[in-house]
């Protein structure tokens, strides 16, 4: 895991070495173990290293092949690098390191751009082919690793984070009004190749692009996902599907554990993270029965308020596996200072304070490990959210299966009654609160309007997951932690996409095939849980209580009143109604507040970057 940046001169000035060094310094948190730079004619590459595999100097980047005709800067992990390495050795390629970076170089030399289909991993890289005079850029299938770019003054610039590009004073100075509107009104981000900054783009997941002296080529998809439209399991029985999934999951975790540094696990107490913890424990014990479980450290967010605390379930898994459990307790004592760092880390506003729990977990993990495994993606793959029941029932009705649809409805009421009414309430509140936003644009990405398969595909590729992975990368890398997500091993993604809907949701039970696969592995109190929380936070309690003075300071500030994006008086009135108990809480309030803080940091004070840390607190206090 690393930070990458670079410049390719299409036509214009020479490489700006001072800018490249500033970009590298801005990304130092992504790679505190070393840095490097390569400049030749029209190409400049820079790299910050977080040493995970091959800790020696042989893994240094930018890395070249022996002939120095290929140069690469790369961020990520190719989990099947050992297998590819042997295949390439048999083809005659000679390796000078044990790194997966060199595997990418030789794979490109052997198979060209088709090498992408052979990689199992997460990556963002830029590979300079000196013989062809082109820069080949690629991002992994699901977009686990970021790749941002901009074109300015005849040069193509790229970086792992937006802040790296903004070291160029001509890039990213104005907000992208359309994307800002999508976020405020519809809670959407990372759903297009545009960012919150005008002129800064991201290479979409599963895409690659080539830059030459002729210009920037159109990004092209090298991987596409499709969902099985079948409603019911007919060709593959439950036992077979569960067994196939468990085998794939076990192997995915096995390769995700490949590391030359300590590895930990994020444990929320829910089904996904508990499955990871138990399977990791099993694998480690198989490899070293004497000390297997002693190698695993788990990291969790806990709360004194029992309505949000999952310690009971975390303790069940910790006791069952005998892992080392490390809880952290997010609170409001230093939240404004931490939010300042969070905004700096994420570069863009974030939709809820749930991210703060993840932030605190990563901070705690950084004291003991350099790699963590996390459960992102399972909900979108397996229909884990309560909202997925609606498209599932709709699909059954469209297929003229009313009895099955009725059975699902009864299942929802049996297993998720309180969540059902809560979700309905939130929909009504959102419709009311959307009047707080000015000039609301039409919903650019209607969700939950097709079948379950169609809804999951949207959430996996354009809505929920890209945004969640943005959080995952930025909050972990803020503390120089590499976060790995085994559920998003592309083999698992394609396998689960091939299963019919009723092996994801059945009789109101979400993640049906995962629950079946883990029978006998997980304690029943965990396997049968239906009260999904994840790394939640008591956002509503904090917003009404300890955070209230800071929020009121923001909502009554001159800058807030002058923004064209919201009705400032109505936002303040709505917040006071919530504080007084006259209305329910809705997430639009936080999105507006977070956007105001982002505007102050990134737009009102251009050039501040991470050097501006702390000014938000001074203004609030």
């Amino acid at each position: 895991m690393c930070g990458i940046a670079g410049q390719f001169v299409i036509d214009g000035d020479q490489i700006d070495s001072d800018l490249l060094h500033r970009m590298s310094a801005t990304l130092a948190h992504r790679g505190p173990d070393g840095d490097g730079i390569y400049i030749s004619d029209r190409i400049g590459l820079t790299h910050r290293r977080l040493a995970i595999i091959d800790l020696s100097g042989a893994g240094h980047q930018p890395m070249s092949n022996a002939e120095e005709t290929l140069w690469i800067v790369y961020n990520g992990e190719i989990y099947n690098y050992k297998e590819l390495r042997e295949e390439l050795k048999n083809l005659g390629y000679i390796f000078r390191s044990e790194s997966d970076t060199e595997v990418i170089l030789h794979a490109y030399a052997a198979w060209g751009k088709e090498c992408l289909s052979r990689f199992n991993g997460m990556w963002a890289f830029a590979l300079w082919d000196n013989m062809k005079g082109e820069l080949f850029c690629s991002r992994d299938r699901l977009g686990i690793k970021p790749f941002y770019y901009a074109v300015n003054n005849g040069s193509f610039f790229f970086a792992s984070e937006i802040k790296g590009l903004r070291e160029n004073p001509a890039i990213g100075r104005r907000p992208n009004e359309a994307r800002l509107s999508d976020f405020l009104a519809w809670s959407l981000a990372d759903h297009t190749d545009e960012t919150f900054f005008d002129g800064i783009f991201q290479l979409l997941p599963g895409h690659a692009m080539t830059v030459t002296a002729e210009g920037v080529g159109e990004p092209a998809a090298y991987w596409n996902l499709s969902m099985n439209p079948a409603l019911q399991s007919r060709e593959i029985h439950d036992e077979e599907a569960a067994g196939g999934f468990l085998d794939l999951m076990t192997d995915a975790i096995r390769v995700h554990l490949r590391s030359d540094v300590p590895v930990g696990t994020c444990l929320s107490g829910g089904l996904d993270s508990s499955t990871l913890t138990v399977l990791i424990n099993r694998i480690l014990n198989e490899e070293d029965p004497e000390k297997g479980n002693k190698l695993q450290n788990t990291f969790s967010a806990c709360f004194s308020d029992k309505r949000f605390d999952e310690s009971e379930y975390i303790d069940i898994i910790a006791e069952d596996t005998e892992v080392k459990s490390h809880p952290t307790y997010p609170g409001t004592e230093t939240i404004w200072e931490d939010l300042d760092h969070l905004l700096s880390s994420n570069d863009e506003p974030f939709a809820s304070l749930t991210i703060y729990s993840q932030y605190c977990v990563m901070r705690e993990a950084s004291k003991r490990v350099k790699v963590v495994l996390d459960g992102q993606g399972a909900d979108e793959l397996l229909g884990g959210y309560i909202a997925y029941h609606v498209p599932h029932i709709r699909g059954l009705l469209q297929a003229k299966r009313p009895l099955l649809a009725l059975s699902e409805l009864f299942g929802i009421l049996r297993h998720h009654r309180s969540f059902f009414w809560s979700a309905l309430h939130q929909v009504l509140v959102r419709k009311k609160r959307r009047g707080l936003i000015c000039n609301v644009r039409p919903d650019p990405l209607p969700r939950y309007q097709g079948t379950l398969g169609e809804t999951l595909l949207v959430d996996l590729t354009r809505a929920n997951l890209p945004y969640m992975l943005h959080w995952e990368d930025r909050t972990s890398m803020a503390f120089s932690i590499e976060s790995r997500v085994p559920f998003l091993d592309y083999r698992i993604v394609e396998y689960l996409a091939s299963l019919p809907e009723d092996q994801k949701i059945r009789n109101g039970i979400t993640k049906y095939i995962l629950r079946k696969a883990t029978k006998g592995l997980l304690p029943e109190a965990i396997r049968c849980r239906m009260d999904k929380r994840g790394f939640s936070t008591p956002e509503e309690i904090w917003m009404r209580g300890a955070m209230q003075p800071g929020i009121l300071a923001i909502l009554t500030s001159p800058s807030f009143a002058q923004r064209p994006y919201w009705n400032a008086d109505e936002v303040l009135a709505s917040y006071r109604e919530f504080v007084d108990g006259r209305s329910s809480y809705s997430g639009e309030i936080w999105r507006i507040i977070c956007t105001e803080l982002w505007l102050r940091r990134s737009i009102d004070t251009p050039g501040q970057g991470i050097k501006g840390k702390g000014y938000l607190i001074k203004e609030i206090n």
Side-chain angles (χ1 to χ4, degrees):
M1 190 65 60
C2 305
I4 64 174
Q7 177 187 2
F8 179 87
V9 176
I10 300 171
D11 56 48
D13 296 334
Q14 296 179 339
I15 294 295
D16 188 339
S17 62
D18 288 340
L19 173 59
L20 287 177
H21 280 101
R22 293 199 308 273
M23 294 170 79
S24 174
T26 302
L27 300 174
H29 55 283
R30 297 187 70 91
D33 297 332
D35 64 282
I37 190 167
Y38 169 75
I39 296 176
S40 177
D41 192 23
R42 63 173 65 234
I43 186 69
L45 305 173
T46 186
H47 183 265
R48 299 296 308 207
R49 187 183 187 197
L50 181 64
I52 302 295
I53 293 175
D54 189 351
L55 310 185
S56 73
H60 184 78
Q61 296 185 46
M63 181 182 288
S64 72
N65 60 355
E67 299 77 20
E68 296 191 353
T69 56
L70 302 175
W71 287 85
I72 189 173
V73 283
Y74 152 61
N75 166 33
E77 300 289 350
I78 304 300
Y79 298 118
N80 63 333
Y81 76 100
K82 290 185 177 181
E83 291 78 9
L84 289 174
R85 180 188 177 91
E86 290 306 309
E87 188 175 352
L88 289 163
K89 277 184 175 181
N90 291 334
L91 293 176
Y93 288 90
I94 299 172
F95 286 81
R96 298 175 292 173
S97 75
E98 298 295 324
S99 70
D100 56 336
T101 310
E102 194 173 11
V103 169
I104 298 176
L105 277 173
H106 290 327
Y108 176 83
W111 303 306
K113 296 170 184 178
E114 296 301 315
C115 66
L116 300 177
S117 65
R118 295 173 177 261
F119 297 153
N120 180 7
M122 55 180 184
W123 69 82
F125 66 74
L127 191 153
W128 170 244
D129 188 329
N130 191 49
M131 302 298 289
K132 294 181 179 180
E134 64 182 35
L135 185 69
F136 178 53
C137 308
S138 173
R139 192 175 178 202
D140 65 73
R141 294 172 180 85
L142 278 304
I144 302 168
K145 293 293 102 190
F147 189 100
Y148 293 101
Y149 66 94
V151 178
N152 178 261
N153 196 28
S155 280
F156 172 84
F157 297 91
F158 69 89
S160 292
E161 295 181 12
I162 291 172
K163 63 175 64 66
L165 295 173
R166 295 185 78 235
E167 283 298 319
N168 184 328
I171 293 177
R173 299 299 113 183
R174 299 189 305 274
N176 183 329
E177 305 286 347
R179 299 293 75 81
L180 197 58
S181 176
D182 291 347
F183 175 74
L184 288 168
W186 306 104
S187 192
L188 281 171
D190 293 289
H191 57 297
T192 76
D193 66 342
E194 296 181 9
T195 69
F196 280 62
F197 295 88
D198 186 44
I200 296 180
F201 300 88
Q202 60 176 323
L203 186 58
L204 289 174
H207 280 64
M209 65 191 301
T210 302
V211 187
T212 69
E214 302 299 318
V216 181
E218 189 71 22
Y222 64 85
W223 181 76
N224 288 290
L225 182 67
S226 61
M227 288 283 178
N228 184 349
L231 295 174
Q232 289 182 280
S233 50
R234 297 184 184 277
E235 295 183 2
I236 180 169
H237 297 295
D238 289 346
E239 290 74 15
E240 182 184 353
F245 170 59
L246 186 61
D247 288 344
L248 276 176
M249 195 71 210
T250 301
D251 190 62
I253 292 173
R254 193 183 307 280
V255 297
H256 276 69
L257 286 172
R258 289 175 170 174
S259 170
D260 294 331
V261 296
V263 178
T265 313
C266 294
L267 176 60
S268 70
L271 180 61
D272 309 331
S273 64
S274 297
T275 298
L276 285 182
T277 303
V278 168
L279 289 177
I280 291 169
N281 194 59
R282 172 196 271 189
I283 292 167
L284 292 177
N285 276 299
E286 287 176 355
E287 293 178 351
D288 191 340
E290 292 187 4
K291 61 176 183 179
N293 56 7
K294 296 178 182 177
L295 297 175
Q296 187 176 181
N297 290 273
T298 63
F299 304 94
S300 309
C302 302
F303 299 92
S304 57
D305 191 326
K306 296 303 179 184
R307 289 173 295 176
F308 307 97
D309 186 56
E310 302 215 56
S311 296
E312 172 189 354
Y313 301 103
I314 293 167
D315 291 345
I316 289 173
I317 290 295
E319 182 178 348
D320 187 66
T321 56
E322 298 181 340
V323 298
K324 300 173 185 175
S325 178
H326 304 283
T328 186
Y329 295 85
T332 56
E333 296 80 8
T334 60
I335 195 166
W336 289 111
E337 182 176 356
D338 288 341
L339 286 174
D340 190 23
H341 185 213
L342 257 177
L343 275 171
S344 170
S345 301
N346 280 267
D347 286 320
E348 297 175 304
F350 42 91
S352 79
L353 283 174
T354 300
I355 190 176
Y356 186 54
S357 286
Q358 188 180 46
Y359 174 91
C360 293
V361 167
M362 295 301 178
R363 179 167 55 190
E364 180 65 25
S366 68
K367 300 173 184 177
R368 294 174 175 84
V369 300
K370 292 181 75 171
V371 176
V372 295
L373 271 61
D374 207 347
Q376 291 286 20
D379 288 307
E380 291 80 7
L381 287 167
L382 289 155
Y385 295 121
I386 183 67
Y388 290 145
H389 289 286
V390 175
H392 184 43
I393 291 176
R394 181 188 299 117
L396 291 171
L397 291 174
Q398 289 176 353
K400 297 181 172 52
R401 306 298 298 273
L403 293 181
L404 276 176
L406 189 61
S407 174
E408 288 297 330
L409 180 60
F410 285 141
I412 295 171
L413 295 174
R414 183 166 63 252
H415 297 298
H416 308 282
R417 183 173 302 176
S418 61
F419 287 89
F420 180 82
W421 294 115
S422 174
L424 179 61
H425 172 73
Q426 284 299 317
V427 169
L428 296 176
V429 169
R430 283 179 187 141
K431 286 184 177 179
K432 175 184 176 182
R433 288 278 168 80
R434 197 153 286 132
L436 304 178
I437 310 301
C438 296
N439 303 316
V440 175
R441 294 161 50 89
D443 188 348
L445 187 64
R447 289 163 287 176
Y448 309 104
Q449 295 185 12
T451 64
L452 176 61
E454 292 167 343
T455 298
L456 294 180
L457 187 60
V458 169
D459 272 2
L460 278 164
T461 59
R462 297 191 61 197
N464 281 20
L465 188 63
Y467 187 37
M468 298 294 282
L469 291 175
H470 180 134
W471 287 11
E472 186 80 27
D473 176 83
R474 306 317 183 277
T475 54
S476 59
M477 292 309 298
F479 299 103
S480 305
I481 288 280
E482 173 174 295
S483 182
R484 301 177 175 182
V485 282
F487 277 100
L488 295 181
D489 183 304
Y490 82 97
R491 299 170 298 169
I492 292 174
V493 174
E494 292 178 347
Y495 181 78
L496 291 178
S498 74
L499 298 181
E501 290 188 7
D502 76 336
Q503 289 179 336
K504 295 161 187 172
I505 298 177
R506 186 181 301 177
N507 295 325
I509 299 174
T510 59
K511 302 180 181 177
Y512 180 82
I513 209 67
L514 174 58
R515 296 179 194 276
K516 192 167 189 64
T518 53
K519 185 174 180 61
L521 290 174
L522 289 178
E524 288 295 279
I526 303 293
R527 192 181 72 89
C528 298
R529 282 192 68 184
M530 297 289 178
D531 56 335
K532 175 177 177 53
R533 295 182 204 171
F535 284 145
S536 62
T537 57
E539 180 175 319
E540 180 176 346
I541 306 301
W542 292 355
M543 294 279 284
R544 177 177 277 143
M547 294 183 69
Q548 183 183 153
I551 291 171
L552 286 172
I554 295 168
L555 298 184
T556 56
S557 66
S559 66
F560 185 83
Q562 295 168 7
R563 305 291 184 195
Y565 308 113
W566 46 71
N567 300 305
D569 291 339
E570 291 187 27
V571 175
L572 178 60
S574 182
Y575 177 68
R576 282 179 166 155
E577 287 180 5
F578 157 67
V579 169
D580 295 340
R582 291 180 285 128
S583 70
S584 300
Y585 178 71
S586 182
E588 279 84 354
I589 298 293
W590 170 256
R591 291 204 299 276
I592 292 170
I593 291 167
C594 192
T595 300
E596 168 65 17
L597 296 180
W598 171 76
L599 288 165
R600 293 180 185 182
R601 163 176 282 283
S602 299
I603 304 300
D604 297 348
T605 54
Q608 283 275 349
I610 59 174
K611 296 183 285 291
K613 182 179 178 181
Y615 79 93
L616 292 180
I617 301 97
K618 294 176 184 177
E619 188 164 325
I620 289 169
N621 291 342

